[in-house]
Amino acid sequence: MVEQKRFALFLAALDSEFVKKTYGGYHNVFVSTFGDEGEQWDSFRVVSGEFPDEKDLDKYDGFVISGSVHDAFENYDWILKLCDLVKKIDQMKKKILGICFGHQIIARVRGGTVGRARKGPELKLGDITIVKDAITPGSYFGDEVPETIAIIKCHQDEVLVLPETAKVLAYSKNYEVEMFSIEDHLFCIQGHPEYNKEILFHLVDRVLGQGLVPQEFADASKASMEKRGPDRKLWEKICKNFLKGMQSSD
């Protein structure tokens, strides 16, 4: 009998009423993207101070850190506790997939620098350019590594200085670090592979309603998805391959 794979999801955001009503919460959004039948996925609402016991970390095959409205460079108690936990998981060489805020937290823990995005915030569908020389053919990207991948982006911060041992895997016109890896167990993505058009439009309407962005910004965000969508199937494959056993690079 094959042993059941078990993963932990560190939720650094609260569920909006829209996400609760439409998907039953962000837990379901992530599991529907990265999970497979027969696996166990446990969620910990780290933003609310909910963490696993350290003695239970070894039970998990991998971890995912979500996005957040908070900045990864803040020093709230829960962020400092999350950093300590990531250090321990890193020392265990367990796999961690960091998304947006999670991508930045891993950079911070490993000695990098995170701060406000130098070219401003992003809330749209965008293309990131893959650094093909950094990726081994047949790795978790598959046999054919694409030139670019479309992904939904929602952030106001960025990794300003990479950790010494990190390898940039993708960049874009405005951001030097769209994706990076460290050794074979840390894989970090600035964009949101789990997001779809519905979630993006909800976020755009929300920040517009709160007066955080002008109408022109909101219109441009929605226009980015008029004729195409993110490469969700490819992102699912890449992230699942990473979490579930494929190796990344030399």
Side-chain angles (χ1 to χ4, degrees), residues 47-165:
V47 70
S48 301
E50 183 185 341
F51 291 85
D53 288 332
E54 286 181 24
K55 62 180 173 56
D56 292 331
L57 295 178
D58 200 44
K59 296 177 182 176
Y60 293 101
D61 294 284
F63 301 82
V64 178
I65 308 172
S66 80
S68 179
V69 298
H70 293 276
D71 301 316
F73 52 83
E74 290 175 338
N75 289 317
Y76 293 127
D77 287 347
W78 71 271
I79 292 178
L80 296 177
K81 187 168 182 179
L82 177 61
C83 288
D84 286 341
L85 198 63
V86 168
K87 282 179 188 172
K88 290 180 173 68
I89 297 168
D90 179 21
Q91 288 164 0
M92 297 167 75
K93 304 295 184 188
K94 292 275 188 179
K95 293 197 172 186
I96 312 177
L97 171 62
I99 295 169
C100 199
F101 170 87
H103 154 101
Q104 296 161 9
I105 283 289
I106 291 171
R108 173 181 175 171
V109 165
R110 272 303 196 105
T113 304
V114 178
R116 280 283 179 267
R118 289 164 289 197
K119 294 191 177 178
E122 268 192 319
L123 184 57
K124 66 174 188 176
L125 178 70
D127 292 312
I128 63 173
T129 301
I130 305 303
V131 182
K132 287 194 166 188
D133 290 347
I135 297 166
T136 304
S139 69
Y140 46 74
F141 281 80
D143 292 327
E144 292 187 23
V145 181
E147 298 286 341
T148 63
I149 312 180
I151 191 167
I152 292 174
K153 305 170 81 181
C154 175
H155 67 106
Q156 64 177 358
D157 301 334
E158 67 173 319
V159 175
L160 300 171
V161 180
L162 269 177
E164 281 185 16
T165 53

Side-chain angles (χ1 to χ4, degrees), residues 229-249:
D231 294 318
R232 277 181 58 90
K233 290 298 178 188
L234 179 56
W235 282 115
E236 284 181 20
K237 182 183 84 169
I238 292 169
C239 294
K240 285 182 179 184
N241 284 347
F242 165 72
L243 283 169
K244 301 168 192 187
M246 297 288 289
Q247 294 302 303
S248 65
S249 47

